[in-house]
Structures are given as structure tokens and as C-alpha cells.
Amino acid sequence: LGSPPLTIVRAYDLQAFERLLREGVHLSGRATGLMSSVARAAFLEFTDLEIADLHVFLRARAHSAAPDE
């Protein structure tokens, strides 16, 4: 399985990113298949602060990433 480009995180505000990690729900409102399962099984332990920090980190990385990464 391939992962989505890192730059996709630019589209997610913190609230949408939190929903993606906690519920596996895409910006469109649909469940994301594998991500839904992973989110519910593996990411429930993340605190709100950890998710916020991860969001900031990934957005910073996406900002410096090439458009197709």
C-alpha cells in the first residue's frame, strides 16, 4: 500500500485532522477504509496535544515538501 502525498495534510485544519486520526473520516465525510480501521485501533491513545503537535509538524514538513511528495 502506498501512502498519500504528505502535501495532502495542507487541506486539513486541526479539527479535520483530529477527526481523521480518531475516526478515519476523510474531509469529504466518508470513511477512508484502511485508515478507519487503523485510526480506531492504533490512534485512540493520542492526546489532543499530541494530535495538535503532529498536525503542526506534518504541515511544516508538507510546506517544505515537493508538490508530488
Side-chain angles (χ1 to χ4, degrees):
L1 289 177
S3 59
L6 181 58
T7 54
I8 199 151
V9 76
R10 291 179 188 159
Y12 285 82
D13 62 18
L14 180 56
Q15 183 179 6
F17 185 71
E18 182 175 341
R19 187 171 185 210
L20 176 67
L21 289 188
R22 294 206 189 280
E23 303 171 30
V25 175
H26 184 270
L27 283 172
S28 68
R30 66 177 171 79
T32 57
L34 180 60
M35 183 63 186
S36 295
S37 299
V38 170
R40 289 187 176 101
F43 299 152
L44 289 177
E45 300 297 321
F46 284 153
T47 66
D48 292 344
L49 181 58
E50 289 170 327
I51 290 175
D53 287 347
L54 182 59
H55 184 250
V56 168
F57 172 77
L58 291 175
R59 286 181 62 92
R61 293 289 307 240
H63 181 70
S64 64
D68 60 345
E69 287 184 19

